[in-house]
């Protein structure tokens, strides 16, 4: 499975039973960059700022006071389900006065994150490696053919 990252920051807003959910996502290079971005987008007057990020095999998530497993994990599942890597997503919630229950929270947080990522511009992640190759002149044709065959 080939993975993508975001080509540019993205956002998506939904309302569920009078609660407002704002999902925002950006591409990041490492965990420090993800943490720094999360610090800058935290909305102080919001009820919750739940988030998740995936960077290769490394991932983190936070429910930010919501019941355990109802916000951060669904956001992470949206990142994985949409085939993204090197991405951080925060979903900010302003409580609207009606309790959603655990299932409603999972659907709202995961749905907001998934739709944000679904609508976002994608950029393929391409693995690069620098190699030095020494070959006799008479083998250069075969070398070039092999490089073309692997889009190198």
């Amino acid at each position: 499975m080939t993975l993508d990252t975001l080509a540019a920051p993205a956002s998506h807003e939904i309302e569920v039973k009078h609660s407002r959910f704002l999902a925002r996502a950006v591409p990041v290079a490492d965990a420090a960059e993800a943490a720094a971005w999360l610090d800058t987008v935290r909305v102080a007057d919001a009820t919750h700022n739940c988030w998740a990020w995936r960077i290769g095999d490394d991932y983190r998530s936070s429910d930010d006071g919501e019941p355990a497993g109802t916000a951060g994990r669904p956001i992470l599942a949206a990142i994985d389900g949409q085939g993204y890597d090197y991405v951080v997503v925060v979903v900010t919630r302003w409580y609207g006065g009606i309790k959603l229950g655990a299932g409603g929270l999972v659907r709202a947080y995961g749905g907001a994150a998934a739709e944000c990522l679904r609508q976002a511009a994608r950029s393929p992640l391409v693995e690069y490696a620098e190699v030095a190759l020494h070959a006799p002149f008479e083998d250069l044709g075969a070398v070039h053919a092999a490089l073309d065959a692997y889009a190198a």
Side-chain angles (χ1 to χ4, degrees):
M1 176 178 168
T2 60
L3 297 175
D4 293 330
T5 192
L6 292 168
S11 66
H12 180 73
E13 188 172 338
I14 62 171
E15 186 173 310
V16 179
K17 295 186 179 179
H18 304 294
S19 283
R20 192 172 118 210
F21 293 84
L22 173 61
R24 291 168 289 167
V26 295
V28 291
D30 55 37
E33 187 178 344
W37 182 76
L38 287 167
D39 286 341
T40 66
V41 298
R42 179 170 293 282
V43 178
D45 72 339
T47 313
H48 302 281
N49 291 277
C50 304
W51 54 265
W53 53 258
R54 170 163 304 281
I55 300 165
D57 292 333
D58 200 9
Y59 60 91
R60 297 284 182 275
S61 65
S62 169
D63 295 317
D64 190 37
E66 291 285 23
T70 60
R73 281 192 220 145
I75 296 168
L76 183 60
I79 293 169
D80 293 341
Q82 294 296 317
Y84 278 98
D85 201 354
Y86 292 88
V87 170
V88 59
V89 178
V90 63
V91 179
T92 302
R93 177 187 184 196
W94 289 268
Y95 181 62
I98 298 173
K99 292 188 177 190
L100 301 180
L105 290 171
V106 168
R107 285 188 296 277
Y109 280 106
E115 192 59 28
C116 177
L117 295 171
R118 194 174 298 119
Q119 294 178 7
R122 298 176 84 95
S123 179
L125 287 169
V126 179
E127 193 171 330
Y128 289 96
E130 188 174 316
V131 297
L133 175 68
H134 300 281
F137 182 77
E138 61 270 10
D139 292 335
L140 286 182
V143 168
H144 285 279
L147 291 173
D148 287 342
Y150 290 98

